[in-house]
Amino acid sequence: MSVWDDLVGQSQTVATLSRASSDPDAMTHSWLLTGPPGSGRSTAARAFAAALNCPRHGCGTCRECTTALDGTHADVTVVATEGLSIRVEDARELVVEAAHRPSVGQYRVIIVEDADRLTERAADALLKALEEPSARTVWILCAPSQEDVIITIRSRCRHVRLRTPPTKAVAELLIRRDGVDPAMAMYAARAAQSHIGLARRLARDEGARRRRREVVLMSGRIRTVPDAVGAAADLASIATEESGSSAAERDAAERSRLLETLGADPAARTQPPHVRSQVAALEKDQKARATRFARDITDRALVDLLSMYRDALVVRLGSGVDLVNEDARAEVDALARGMSADELLAAMTAIGQARTRIEANVPLLLALEAMALSLRLPRR
Ligand SMILES: [Zn+2]
């Protein structure tokens, strides 16, 4: 057993990081781990933090290892933002933390899970700390790709790239770690396109499987303008459906906790100015979190939808590559018959454009409607 066990299909990364943890000459203090969503960036970062602090360099069983992996190690800080960006105030706090010597372990490790969400000012605040870290501090920044990280930051880090793990490796992990049965594991790994977290969710949550199926089957059903408008509305509603009432409950709980901390009366009709401004700041954070959540969910749905056109193109070209939607083979075949290769490519481009627009803040429904109109099946 070792801390690297759950990092599937990443032998190169494991070799680099485990060598750095055991050989001082191979050690660097600022790292940038990149890889597609679901490839295991944060798993790799935690495993590395464990290996750095473990007397046996990552045995996976000692206290240093287990606490670093589950996020409770006193010297390992994990920054996972739920908002749209990491602010300069947060970055400054990290710099202060990074200056402290480790309390129990060998190294103080700061993991920034979404380094692509550092604002420019936040990035500036980190520069010096990244360039000249204390001797026993290690920074591990994670992002989808190098290009997503502000250049001044990435030029100060050693870069390690994770790849998309093979479908089979993801399925094996689900079988071994989560006790999923083999057929379900294979379906989930394929449908999630090797995104490990999503694959696990699909394997265990029937609702997630049903929602995914509804999305992919939209591809064959858009014929008219009203169909397109309806499909866009359905896609937009997925995010609301997924967040459900839990978000509202959480928001309310955070608000009452804040009022309690400030010693304010939650029932009071008007609050003093300092309370009002703190509540306003919290509400802004909550709104940013909801926006990011909606975007992420929608983006995932678009990736699923895209996979149908991609599969239809695979069938059309007879290239024999595995289908993502093997479970919807009949619908993929129908789509391949209904659209030419050029039309399928145009559909894929339209979906790609919608993803870019949503990321660039175009209103969700607007971007989705424009896309759905381009997805209408041609009349023949
Ligand atoms: Zn250990």
Side-chain angles (χ1 to χ4, degrees):
M1 194 181 170
S2 93
V3 288
W4 310 107
D5 283 355
D6 287 351
L7 203 62
V8 293
Q10 310 292 351
S11 48
Q12 194 97 47
T13 298
V14 170
T16 306
L17 297 181
S18 64
R19 206 164 81 80
S21 70
S22 56
D23 175 3
D25 289 337
M27 185 56 192
T28 313
H29 288 266
S30 302
W31 295 77
L32 174 61
L33 305 187
T34 66
S39 58
R41 293 183 306 243
S42 65
T43 307
R46 283 164 193 251
F48 188 31
L52 284 167
N53 278 313
C54 168
R56 282 172 290 169
H57 312 299
C59 67
T61 50
C62 73
R63 200 180 149 70
E64 301 283 339
C65 282
T66 49
T67 53
L69 290 178
D70 70 18
T72 56
H73 195 292
D75 297 321
V76 180
T77 304
V78 180
V79 185
T81 178
E82 289 182 311
L84 292 170
S85 58
I86 302 176
R87 292 165 308 183
V88 63
E89 299 86 351
D90 306 327
R92 286 194 188 120
E93 259 174 52
L94 286 179
V95 171
V96 172
E97 204 158 322
H100 288 132
R101 291 169 61 80
S103 56
V104 292
Q106 276 293 317
Y107 288 103
R108 178 166 295 281
V109 184
I110 314 263
I111 299 172
V112 181
E113 286 198 342
D114 305 280
D116 50 318
R117 293 178 196 267
L118 286 164
T119 62
E120 206 145 327
R121 286 181 62 214
D124 279 346
L126 293 186
L127 286 186
K128 206 168 138 38
L130 286 173
E131 197 162 57
E132 300 158 7
S134 333
R136 289 172 67 190
T137 295
V138 177
W139 289 86
I140 309 175
L141 310 184
C142 306
S145 76
Q146 262 190 303
E147 290 67 36
D148 292 319
V149 180
I150 294 173
I151 186 157
T152 48
I153 290 275
R154 65 177 199 248
S155 64
R156 285 164 170 80
C157 296
R158 178 155 162 212
H159 180 214
V160 172
R161 194 163 62 89
L162 281 75
R163 57 190 195 115
T164 302
T167 316
K168 209 163 151 269
V170 174
E172 280 163 7
L173 177 69
L174 295 181
I175 296 166
R176 172 171 62 74
R177 185 189 65 185
D178 305 314
V180 174
D181 82 71
M184 175 62 85
M186 202 56 208
Y187 150 79
R190 251 200 308 256
Q193 298 180 57
S194 287
H195 185 305
I196 295 168
L198 277 174
R200 180 162 186 256
R201 178 127 181 269
L202 281 174
R204 292 160 46 128
D205 178 354
E206 199 194 329
R209 291 197 290 277
R210 180 180 47 78
R211 278 193 296 275
R212 182 181 188 282
R213 196 164 166 79
E214 281 165 12
V215 169
V216 299
L217 295 188
M218 276 180 194
S219 56
R221 293 185 184 153
I222 307 175
R223 294 174 187 281
T224 63
V225 171
D227 289 349
V229 173
D234 287 348
L235 279 169
S237 71
I238 290 174
T240 331
E241 195 185 323
E242 293 242 341
S243 69
S245 56
S246 60
E249 275 168 30
R250 184 172 160 190
D251 288 356
E254 282 173 350
R255 188 173 190 277
S256 44
R257 230 180 5 255
L258 176 66
L259 290 176
E260 200 180 313
T261 317
L262 297 173
D265 172 13
R269 199 178 270 210
T270 51
Q271 303 285 1
H274 77 281
V275 175
R276 276 209 304 272
S277 71
Q278 296 247 23
V279 168
L282 174 70
E283 283 169 354
K284 203 170 150 227
D285 283 353
Q286 291 175 335
K287 196 153 172 273
R289 182 169 72 201
T291 305
R292 173 163 179 200
F293 184 80
R295 272 190 203 168
D296 287 353
I297 297 287
T298 310
D299 192 62
R300 193 58 223 173
L302 294 182
V303 169
D304 288 336
L305 186 60
L306 182 70
S307 70
M308 282 297 276
Y309 295 93
R310 173 262 185 207
D311 279 356
L313 192 63
V314 166
V315 167
R316 200 144 182 129
L317 301 176
S319 56
V321 180
D322 284 350
L323 298 190
V324 172
N325 300 287
E326 192 56 63
D327 59 307
R329 173 62 84 154
E331 287 84 359
V332 170
D333 285 344
L335 197 58
R337 283 192 304 272
M339 293 174 95
S340 68
D342 281 346
E343 285 160 353
L344 289 167
L345 278 170
M348 292 169 74
T349 306
I351 297 172
Q353 250 166 13
R355 293 178 68 196
T356 315
R357 284 182 185 151
I358 291 166
E359 190 58 43
N361 258 332
V362 171
L364 197 61
L365 199 54
L366 201 67
L368 291 173
E369 280 180 358
M371 172 197 81
L373 287 169
S374 320
L375 297 181
R376 278 174 296 169
L377 289 163
R379 270 174 227 264
R380 294 235 159 76

